[in-house]
Amino acid sequence: MKKLLTAAIIVMLMACICIGGALFVQAQEGSEESAQHVHVWTYDNNVATCSAQGCPITDATCSAHTADTSKWMHVTEESDTYHYRVCEICEIEIAESKAKCEGGTATCQKGPICTECTTEYGAAVADAHTWVNSECTEDGCDATCDHNGTLSTSNVSAGQHKTECSVCDYELTENCTGGAATCQKGPICTACTTEYGEAVADAHTWVNSECTEDGCGATCDHNGTLSTSNVS
């Protein structure tokens, strides 16, 4: 009797093993089918649904469409570049995400970078160098500025002027020099042509014993100031 009972138990165990194995194989086949399946998404009311026949995934829908699960795509329309977000799961364009790329500044090597999608758009501008010490620092550009005809000097404060280049970042601030003071005005700087310093009271400009400086009525009466010397 014990032998019959033991045999029955063994038969039952073997049957369970066979059934379990079959179920495991079926599950594996279903898993492989799911992995190989390519969703055919259709978009309706902000929800993407797989419309492929025999989709092995129950309720295969995608409704997230957030910035965390999307990527930027770009398209050019009439010379303008537009960006829009596409869901990385269902590849559906996210509603109301399309906008024209804007912002940023082009350089001599690259187009501007859009402030929203942080992607380069547009074209580089040949003379849009990034100057540091009169040399362009953009990768791939070896331009230098020789300041040929591009320097200008202007007064920046009492007794100082600045020379700047209209092309690059060159600038130099110096003290005003040159010129001669008169009885009415301080000297005129030879670089920035601006008056600096103070007038000198007795620095008259004489013509026929009269000072010709505007605002000065000084005349010379030669009182005790005459001297005589031989000239020939």
Side-chain angles (χ1 to χ4, degrees), residues 4-132:
L4 290 174
L5 182 60
T6 302
I9 293 172
I10 292 173
V11 170
M12 291 178 64
L13 289 174
M14 293 296 293
C16 289
I17 291 171
C18 290
I19 293 172
L23 292 174
F24 176 77
V25 170
Q26 184 177 359
Q28 285 291 97
E29 291 176 349
S31 177
E32 291 177 359
E33 183 180 0
S34 298
Q36 295 174 357
H37 177 75
V38 177
H39 293 297
V40 179
W41 296 105
T42 57
Y43 192 63
D44 182 39
N45 195 27
N46 292 327
V47 176
T49 305
C50 180
S51 61
Q53 292 184 351
C55 180
I57 303 176
T58 304
D59 295 330
T61 61
C62 179
S63 58
H65 310 312
T66 65
D68 293 332
T69 62
S70 64
K71 59 185 177 181
W72 285 113
M73 301 293 287
H74 297 83
V75 62
T76 300
E77 298 178 1
E78 297 181 356
S79 75
D80 289 325
T81 301
Y82 290 81
H83 56 242
Y84 58 94
R85 284 193 176 276
V86 171
C87 180
E88 292 187 302
I89 300 173
C90 64
E91 297 185 351
I92 293 297
E93 179 180 339
I94 299 177
E96 300 180 356
S97 66
K98 185 176 181 180
K100 185 166 68 173
C101 287
E102 294 179 321
T105 303
T107 69
C108 57
Q109 301 297 304
K110 296 180 180 180
I113 304 299
C114 176
T115 53
E116 183 173 4
C117 68
T118 65
T119 301
E120 179 183 351
Y121 70 98
V125 178
D127 60 354
H129 301 291
T130 301
W131 297 110
V132 176

